[in-house]
Amino acid sequence: MSALLRHVVVLGSTGSIGVNTLDVIARHPAQFKVFALTASTNVEVMLAQCVNHRPQFAVMVSEQHALELQTRLQAVDVSTRVLSGAAALETVAAHPEADTVMAAIVGAAGLPSCMAAARAGKRLLLANKEALVVGGQLFMDAVQSGGATLLPIDSEHSAIFQSLPESRSLWASTVDKIILTASGGPFRTRAPSTLCDVSPEEACAHPNWVMGRKISVDSATMMNKALEVIEARYLFGVPPERIEVVIHPQSVIHSMVQFVDHSVVAQLGTPDMRGPIAYGLSWPQRVVSGSAAIDFSQLAGLSFEAIHSHGHQERFPGLQLAWDAMAGPQGTTAVLNAANEIAVAAFLNRQIRFDHIHQVNLETMAATQFGLPVSIEDLLEIDGSARRIAEQVVRRLAH
């Protein structure tokens, strides 16, 4: 394998992060080569990606979609080998011929392949926040024992990583607090009493970012920020009480670090995921990402709002669940994530109201019982139990 060429596996290549990753890779053919692509069911997009990037492997979750993809690739004379099933995701994530893994599978479904990449010592670009929210310390232990390099791709966590000292040994002694910025989503100024009437289309209409439907709803409830708080706690080793969230509607400052001398370092950029993706791929160097430069002459101003002001606590009650979950037994964050995935899916399917999402999360956290997780199987069992309870809550609310 050439030392100058990174061989990249893109887990979740047909989603927005995957598509943006391939866009960055295509700009630098001398530095990055696609080794494997994976997707759930989107054969059309996967076919086009295989034709364009000629990966050694393509993985579809179901055998039916894999067979369809293989047939269509043969028809256009593309020799990519097609695999199917969850085990195949782990196979390509840990493959010895790949050195870099973009983890962009949405939800807890991405945890096993993330763990496989971590144990295999890959450069792991983490866009799947649930791997940390569900995996917690077990995931971080796998990163350490496998000798993996973990680089955050969420714009907020990438910003924090870029703002911290290069030497990790200085983090504990110099960092006072981490400040995550949140846009406030589409309902930042909407009266909380009207949120029961929100439609899926309204919730998915983010004012700044182009994202998938699930994360768009999470942004609208600010559950995405709750999950990011949990993620930051594990990524940067900062106690929960030293993580803060501030609303910044312009989405120009992606996050900040306040140091013990009360100086603040912030990372700025246009709201384009290709920026943090390019940084993760090329770190510690930087390459052209394709994102636009900030035009400071066009910035009317940068504003900030505290969570306890403007009625935001009533508007975004789910944010507090991050600290509640971290204060609970290990595994509670996995319960919160599972409940939220079920609740958001039910809302998008028009089974429950927008304001019911928080209710599902609250009731599931209160009702799920579990023991101390010591393996990924234990975590997935907790995840499954929480989903079953959340589904019961959804059924009750849907009537």
Side-chain angles (χ1 to χ4, degrees):
M1 190 190 312
S2 167
L4 299 176
L5 192 66
R6 302 204 71 87
H7 291 66
V8 185
V9 176
V10 184
L11 302 172
S13 67
T14 60
S16 62
I17 295 293
V19 168
N20 280 315
T21 300
L22 293 176
D23 179 88
V24 173
I25 287 173
R27 295 170 188 272
H28 305 280
Q31 292 174 261
F32 310 112
K33 179 174 175 55
V34 176
F35 177 76
L37 301 173
T38 84
S40 178
T41 60
N42 197 331
V43 173
E44 288 295 333
V45 173
M46 177 62 89
L47 175 66
Q49 290 178 344
C50 288
V51 170
N52 289 334
H53 297 278
R54 306 290 170 128
Q56 190 166 329
F57 293 99
V59 180
M60 302 299 293
V61 171
S62 81
E63 187 175 357
Q64 173 192 344
H65 291 100
L67 288 170
E68 181 185 349
L69 177 64
Q70 186 76 76
T71 300
R72 296 182 67 180
L73 285 172
Q74 288 171 347
V76 293
D77 199 27
V78 174
S79 61
T80 296
R81 183 180 172 193
V82 180
L83 307 175
S84 66
L89 296 175
E90 297 179 52
T91 298
V92 296
H95 200 285
E97 292 182 42
D99 51 45
T100 303
V101 177
M102 168 60 77
I105 296 174
V106 175
L111 178 58
S113 53
C114 281
M115 291 285 278
R119 289 170 178 151
K122 305 301 184 186
R123 170 176 290 205
L124 181 52
L125 312 182
L126 192 66
N128 171 288
K129 61 173 61 69
E130 291 84 4
L132 269 173
V133 173
V134 177
Q137 194 56 49
L138 286 174
F139 178 72
M140 294 305 294
D141 290 345
V143 169
Q144 185 171 5
S145 64
T149 300
L150 183 63
L151 299 173
I153 299 301
D154 268 355
S155 61
E156 295 83 359
H157 299 96
S158 177
I160 293 163
F161 183 70
Q162 294 180 58
S163 301
L164 286 166
E166 278 190 40
S167 173
R168 289 175 182 257
S169 64
L170 295 174
W171 292 3
S173 61
T174 62
V175 174
D176 179 42
K177 64 181 175 181
I178 282 173
I179 305 166
L180 290 162
T181 59
S183 69
F187 307 135
R188 180 177 63 87
T189 60
R190 182 159 171 159
S193 61
T194 69
L195 291 176
C196 58
D197 300 321
V198 164
S199 70
E201 291 74 24
E202 290 175 301
C204 290
H206 196 282
N208 300 337
W209 295 90
V210 177
M211 305 180 292
R213 282 164 62 80
K214 195 269 182 183
I215 194 167
S216 294
V217 174
D218 282 347
S219 180
T221 62
M222 215 177 275
M223 273 304 300
N224 71 320
K225 212 54 52 177
L227 299 177
E228 286 169 14
V229 167
I230 297 167
E231 189 180 5
R233 185 260 175 274
Y234 287 108
L235 274 173
F236 307 116
V238 176
E241 64 271 15
R242 286 164 56 193
I243 303 173
E244 188 178 300
V245 175
V246 63
I247 291 182
H248 168 51
Q250 294 81 21
S251 295
V252 172
I253 294 178
H254 295 311
S255 277
M256 299 171 273
V257 176
Q258 179 172 297
F259 294 91
V260 292
D261 60 358
H262 288 170
S263 62
V264 176
V265 175
Q267 188 267 342
L268 285 69
T270 51
D272 187 329
M273 285 306 300
R274 290 177 297 178
I277 288 167
Y279 186 65
L281 285 168
S282 63
W283 177 85
Q285 307 301 321
R286 292 182 185 266
V287 297
V288 171
S289 67
S291 60
I294 295 175
D295 183 351
F296 286 96
S297 68
Q298 297 300 310
L299 284 180
L302 302 179
S303 60
F304 302 91
E305 298 165 7
I307 290 297
H308 53 73
S309 67
H310 297 77
H312 291 321
Q313 285 177 306
E314 186 180 2
R315 191 175 288 111
F316 305 117
L319 181 60
Q320 179 58 39
L321 295 182
W323 287 271
D324 294 346
M326 288 187 289
Q330 188 174 342
T332 307
T333 56
V335 172
L336 174 58
N337 177 74
N340 187 62
E341 286 190 25
I342 293 298
V344 170
F347 167 68
L348 288 171
N349 290 331
R350 304 180 194 277
Q351 295 171 268
I352 61 172
R353 300 195 317 246
F354 180 78
D355 59 321
H356 283 158
I357 294 172
H358 179 60
Q359 189 172 342
V360 172
N361 293 341
L362 263 182
E363 292 191 28
T364 304
M365 284 179 65
T368 306
Q369 298 181 338
F370 53 91
L372 179 69
V374 295
S375 67
I376 187 173
E377 289 76 22
D378 291 344
L379 289 170
L380 294 175
E381 188 173 323
I382 292 170
D383 175 84
S385 297
R387 287 172 190 274
R388 287 188 290 274
I389 290 171
E391 286 166 352
Q392 292 172 5
V393 179
V394 165
R395 283 195 292 271
R396 176 169 53 77
L397 293 173
H399 288 117

